[in-house]
């Protein structure tokens, strides 16, 4: 078994195995097929009102339902040994897709598992079970009767995501003002459903009637976390970004946010009063609250401020925007599909297997580069990113490996501004060539500009190079995979994607379109229909009794996600 040098240490073997990477590719194939089925309406169980959306909006709706199912799953989860977990508690493929995207934001995921009560069972699995899961085999196996029964008992919903569509019509939430339990539709006919960009609903309580929006739900989420105390004391450490970074943010919030002399001696009532006071103080306005938080964190590193604010841009209990996370992983999967890497039997031949073997070597060199350059934000190529993702799917083991060999938790941010990412990519290319004496990207993308002096140094280093196992020339089918992986780029919609990554070789047209679409507000677009009864009912209030169940859109039989599993 090969060992690798990372920084000043040598690994006992590869941190990720070829078998694990091949298993991950099988999983990506299932995710890809699931997306195609939803986007192209290839399952007759998709409700008619969803069929009236355009493909992108329908996929966002489906992801939103999957996140709702993921929340149900983690709330009902119980710790179990590996074999029992796989046989009885492993989630359906749509929930696994959400969990997969969550794991690929390792620092946020680890921190959430530490700070959120709802994830405590997942935290235990993260430490003891997740690293041992054969993701390819888990995706391949058809669910057993006991696994389906356990899911239904724990979540009260159908195991199959397409069967569950008929019952997943409304989202349960609390009114940010009166805390009344409210049910709002995921989709309605005026574009203000929960999964839609212009979401709003009226609180049904006559004495409240607050217009509920994603903004004031985000306010409620932040204030709830701010006032949360671990032990009933004044030591508040529940905010996202405050555990790993150890920021005592509660003491930095402006005066008026930290009133501690409450009328009630009951801590629970006192906390509710404090929450209400803060929310009333800023008028349930997320923009005003963001300004107050930014002022309170003005002495903190910019990246820390951005991470904390981003964690509260959406109302789910998690610090990651899981809708965006799944969408961005979809962009990555599409690029891997274009390479032909998720096709059945793609790496059965030894000739092709060397592509994965050299990708594995390049990933360990990537970690070595990160260990040698503490201030570098390394940007991966597609092949390296695939191995990096496979490593992150090991949960707690990834954090331990990263800390042990790189000297820090190497994060994989969900979204990075285009200019920052472009500069980081140029820095990565230069650092790689300096350290390993070979080109980082061989896909034809333009290399960073270099001065005459740097060119002289590069030529000199070429003749005095130190031994390296990296190959100067790669397998022809490997070369396209050395393209930069920029699925986390946040592009400027006004430039139509032609900003820092305007160079044609950097991106393909479909990738640019996807990235620009993710960087601007999404609007649900619906196809025209001569029938008027295909739309879900229009309701502005959050309490409704009707079920939004449409008729089958076609006569196709249920589509199976099972494919040829030889990779």
């Amino acid at each position: 078994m090969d060992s690798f040098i990372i920084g000043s240490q040598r690994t006992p073997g590869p941190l990720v195995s070829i078998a694990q990477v091949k298993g991950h590719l099988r999983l990506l194939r299932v995710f890809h097929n699931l997306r195609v089925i939803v986007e192209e309406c290839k399952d007759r169980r998709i409700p008619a009102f969803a069929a009236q959306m355009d493909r992108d909006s329908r996929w966002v709706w489906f992801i939103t339902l999957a996140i709702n199912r993921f929340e149900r799953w983690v709330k009902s989860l119980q710790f179990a040994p590996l074999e029992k977990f796989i046989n009885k508690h492993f989630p359906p493929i749509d929930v696994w897709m959400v969990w997969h995207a969550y794991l690929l934001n390792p620092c946020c995921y680890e921190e959430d598992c530490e700070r959120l009560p709802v994830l405590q069972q997942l935290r235990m699995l993260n430490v003891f079970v997740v690293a041992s899961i054969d993701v390819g085999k888990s995706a391949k196996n058809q669910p057993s009767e006991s696994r389906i029964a356990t899911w239904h008992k724990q979540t009260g919903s159908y195991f199959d995501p397409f069967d569950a569509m008929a019952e997943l019509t409304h989202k349960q939430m609390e009114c940010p003002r009166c805390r009344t339990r409210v049910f709002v539709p995921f989709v309605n006919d005026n574009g203000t459903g929960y999964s839609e960009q212009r979401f709003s609903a009226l609180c049904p309580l006559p004495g409240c009637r607050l217009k509920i929006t994603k903004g004031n739900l985000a306010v409620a989420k932040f204030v709830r976390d701010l006032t949360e105390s671990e032990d009933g004391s004044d030591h508040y450490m529940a905010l996202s970004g405050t555990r790993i970074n150890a920021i005592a943010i509660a003491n930095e919030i402006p005066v008026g946010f930290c009133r501690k002399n409450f009328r009630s001696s009951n801590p629970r009532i006192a906390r509710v009063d404090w929450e209400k006071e803060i929310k009333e103080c800023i008028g349930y306005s997320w923009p005003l609250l963001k300004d107050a938080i930014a002022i309170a964190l003005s002495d903190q590193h910019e990246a820390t401020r951005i991470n904390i604010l981003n964690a509260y841009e959406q109302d789910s209990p998690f610090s990651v925007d899981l809708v965006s996370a799944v969408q961005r992983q979809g962009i990555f999967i599409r690029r891997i599909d274009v390479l032909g890497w998720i096709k059945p039997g793609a790496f059965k031949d030894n000739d092709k297997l060397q592509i994965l073997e050299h990708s594995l070597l390049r990933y360990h060199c990537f970690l070595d580069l990160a260990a040698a350059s503490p201030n570098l934000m390394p940007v991966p190529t597609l092949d390296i990113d695939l191995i990096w993702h496979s490593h992150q799917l090991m949960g707690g083991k990834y954090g331990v490996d990263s800390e042990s060999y790189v000297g820090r938790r190497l994060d994989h941010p969900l979204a990075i501004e285009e200019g920052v990412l472009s500069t980081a990519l140029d820095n990565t290319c230069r650092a790689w060539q300096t350290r390993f004496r070979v080109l980082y990207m061989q896909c034809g993308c333009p290399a960073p500009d270099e001065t005459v002096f740097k060119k002289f140094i590069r030529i000199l280093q070429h003749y005095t190079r130190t031994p390296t196992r990296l190959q100067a020339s790669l397998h022809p089918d490997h070369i396209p995979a050395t393209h930069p992986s920029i699925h986390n780029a946040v592009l400027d919609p006004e430039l139509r994607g032609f900003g820092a990554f305007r160079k044609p070789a950097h991106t393909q047209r479909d990738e640019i379109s996807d990235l620009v679409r993710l960087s601007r507000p999404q609007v649900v677009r619906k196809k025209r229909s001569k029938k008027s009864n295909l739309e879900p009912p229009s309701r502005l209030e959050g309490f409704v009794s009707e079920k939004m169940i449409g008729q089958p859109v076609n006569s196709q039989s249920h589509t199976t996600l099972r494919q040829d599993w030889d990779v």
Side-chain angles (χ1 to χ4, degrees):
M1 182 181 293
D2 289 340
S3 62
F4 301 88
I5 295 176
I6 300 177
S8 60
Q9 301 183 69
R10 180 179 289 275
T11 69
L15 300 180
V16 187
S17 71
I18 294 295
Q20 288 169 322
V21 177
K22 292 173 73 174
H24 187 200
L25 287 169
R26 294 187 190 103
L27 182 65
L28 296 186
R29 187 192 311 150
V30 176
F31 293 160
H32 173 75
N33 292 342
L34 177 63
R35 178 178 177 179
V36 169
I37 291 169
V38 174
E39 288 187 338
E40 298 183 6
C41 264
K42 289 189 172 182
D43 194 293
R44 64 182 178 83
R45 291 168 290 178
I46 296 176
F49 72 83
Q52 298 306 304
M53 304 175 190
D54 68 84
R55 55 189 294 148
D56 295 328
S57 301
R58 185 162 49 251
W59 181 234
V60 170
W61 164 75
F62 182 84
I63 295 171
T64 307
L65 299 189
I67 293 170
N68 184 270
R69 282 159 55 82
F70 175 76
E71 288 188 42
R72 292 191 191 187
W73 177 64
V74 296
K75 287 177 181 177
S76 64
L77 197 57
Q78 297 177 353
F79 178 79
L82 177 64
E83 186 175 353
K84 183 178 180 181
F85 176 73
I86 294 298
N87 292 335
K88 295 193 66 174
H89 298 281
F90 202 75
I93 193 62
D94 62 320
V95 175
W96 186 199
M97 178 180 67
V98 173
W99 190 18
H100 169 271
Y102 201 178
L103 280 162
L104 299 188
N105 291 268
C107 285
C108 289
Y109 176 79
E110 180 181 353
E111 181 185 276
D112 282 358
C113 285
E114 289 282 337
R115 72 184 185 89
L116 295 177
V118 72
L119 294 182
Q120 290 311 295
Q121 293 300 317
L122 195 61
R123 176 191 178 191
M124 296 295 292
L125 290 167
N126 189 49
V127 174
F128 297 108
V129 174
V130 175
S132 302
I133 295 174
D134 184 337
V135 295
K137 184 178 179 181
S138 300
K140 172 182 176 179
N141 292 340
Q142 293 296 305
S144 64
E145 291 298 326
S146 62
R147 184 176 160 199
I148 294 173
T150 300
W151 168 268
H152 189 270
K153 180 180 178 181
Q154 291 180 337
T155 67
S157 65
Y158 288 106
F159 185 89
D160 190 298
F162 292 95
D163 288 335
M165 287 177 178
E167 63 181 9
L168 286 177
T169 58
H170 294 75
K171 165 82 173 173
Q172 178 180 322
M173 61 183 60
E174 273 191 358
C175 171
R177 177 186 286 162
C178 67
R179 306 186 76 165
T180 296
R181 186 171 62 172
V182 180
F183 293 88
V184 299
F186 281 105
V187 176
N188 62 20
D189 61 355
N190 57 6
T192 58
Y194 179 77
S195 68
E196 300 171 285
Q197 181 65 27
R198 297 186 296 110
F199 164 68
S200 68
L202 292 178
C203 173
L205 195 67
C208 179
R209 306 298 286 175
L210 177 71
K211 182 180 179 181
I212 303 171
T213 64
K214 292 287 180 73
N216 53 36
L217 287 172
V219 169
K221 174 183 175 180
F222 177 85
V223 173
R224 180 178 61 249
D225 282 3
L226 176 69
T227 58
E228 178 69 38
S229 175
E230 292 182 343
D231 55 4
S233 67
D234 290 335
H235 186 60
Y236 300 101
M237 287 291 290
L239 283 178
S240 174
T242 60
R243 286 190 178 270
I244 290 177
N245 296 310
I247 301 171
I249 186 176
N251 294 325
E252 301 296 332
I253 295 295
V255 177
F257 279 47
C258 294
R259 191 173 71 111
K260 298 180 181 179
N261 297 319
F262 302 108
R263 301 184 190 90
S264 175
S265 59
N266 185 310
R268 183 175 180 180
I269 296 177
R271 179 188 166 194
V272 171
D273 289 343
W274 187 17
E275 286 188 30
K276 183 177 180 181
E277 180 180 339
I278 296 174
K279 289 184 283 190
E280 294 288 346
C281 177
I282 47 90
Y284 296 89
S285 168
W286 174 239
L288 290 179
L289 182 57
K290 280 179 65 175
D291 290 343
I293 297 170
I295 293 172
L297 298 176
S298 58
D299 60 338
Q300 299 297 330
H301 193 276
E302 182 181 6
T304 300
R305 293 199 304 271
I306 292 174
N307 288 341
I308 292 176
L309 288 172
N310 286 346
Y312 293 95
E313 287 283 358
Q314 37 80 37
D315 64 297
S316 81
F318 317 112
S319 62
V320 174
D321 181 351
L322 291 176
V323 172
S324 179
V326 173
Q327 287 179 289
R328 289 183 179 277
Q329 282 309 307
I331 295 174
F332 175 79
I333 294 171
R334 182 176 292 172
R335 294 306 307 277
I336 295 297
D337 179 48
V338 169
L339 294 174
W341 287 20
I342 64 174
K343 293 179 180 177
F347 296 101
K348 290 185 69 174
D349 298 337
N350 289 334
D351 180 52
K352 293 294 183 68
L353 193 59
Q354 68 174 273
I355 296 175
L356 291 186
E357 292 171 348
H358 204 69
S359 297
L360 196 66
L361 171 60
R362 280 167 53 87
Y363 172 63
H364 285 84
C365 290
F366 179 80
L367 295 181
D368 176 63
L369 186 69
S373 311
N375 297 322
L376 177 71
M377 183 178 79
V379 178
T381 51
L382 290 168
D383 59 336
I384 291 173
D385 212 10
L386 172 67
I387 314 297
W388 195 8
H389 290 183
S390 302
H391 197 183
Q392 291 167 52
L393 292 185
M394 298 180 192
K397 183 180 182 300
Y398 171 76
V400 171
D401 288 344
S402 182
E403 195 77 49
S404 299
Y405 293 105
V406 181
R408 65 186 187 278
R409 284 175 170 82
L410 193 60
D411 200 12
H412 184 267
L414 172 62
I416 305 173
E417 291 295 330
E418 178 183 8
V420 174
L421 189 63
S422 179
T423 300
L425 174 61
D426 286 353
N427 293 338
T428 302
C429 289
R430 293 190 183 98
W432 181 279
Q433 188 159 330
T434 298
R435 188 165 182 81
F436 304 116
R437 316 291 191 265
V438 295
L439 287 175
Y440 185 52
M441 301 184 298
Q442 298 184 25
C443 56
C445 287
D449 298 332
E450 71 179 345
T451 63
V452 174
F453 176 73
K454 287 183 177 179
K455 185 174 182 179
F456 169 75
I457 294 296
R458 176 170 58 81
I459 295 173
L460 178 65
Q461 288 173 338
H462 175 76
Y463 290 101
T464 59
R465 57 191 295 179
T466 55
T468 177
R469 297 185 329 193
L470 287 171
Q471 299 173 8
S473 59
L474 301 175
H475 188 289
D477 291 341
H478 190 168
I479 290 174
T482 63
H483 184 89
S485 181
I486 58 169
H487 61 88
N488 55 351
V490 178
L491 304 186
D492 185 349
E494 298 302 319
L495 296 177
R496 299 183 180 275
F498 296 103
F501 287 103
R502 79 182 81 194
K503 303 168 184 176
H506 265 321
T507 49
Q508 295 183 351
R509 182 174 297 179
D510 60 343
E511 185 177 32
I512 281 288
S513 300
D514 288 341
L515 289 170
V516 170
R517 189 162 51 247
L518 282 178
S519 302
R520 65 157 61 101
Q522 296 172 359
V523 178
V524 172
R525 296 174 296 277
K526 298 176 182 177
K527 304 173 186 176
R528 292 183 179 181
S529 174
K530 295 180 180 179
K531 299 181 180 180
S532 61
N533 61 346
L534 293 179
E535 302 288 346
S538 171
R539 295 298 296 262
L540 295 177
E541 295 194 1
F543 180 79
V544 291
S545 58
E546 296 90 340
K547 294 290 185 180
M548 296 190 302
I549 304 178
Q551 298 300 316
V553 297
N554 55 45
S555 58
Q556 289 176 297
S557 59
H558 293 186
T559 304
T560 178
L561 297 178
R562 183 156 185 162
Q563 303 289 329
D564 178 1
W565 296 103
D566 291 329
V567 172

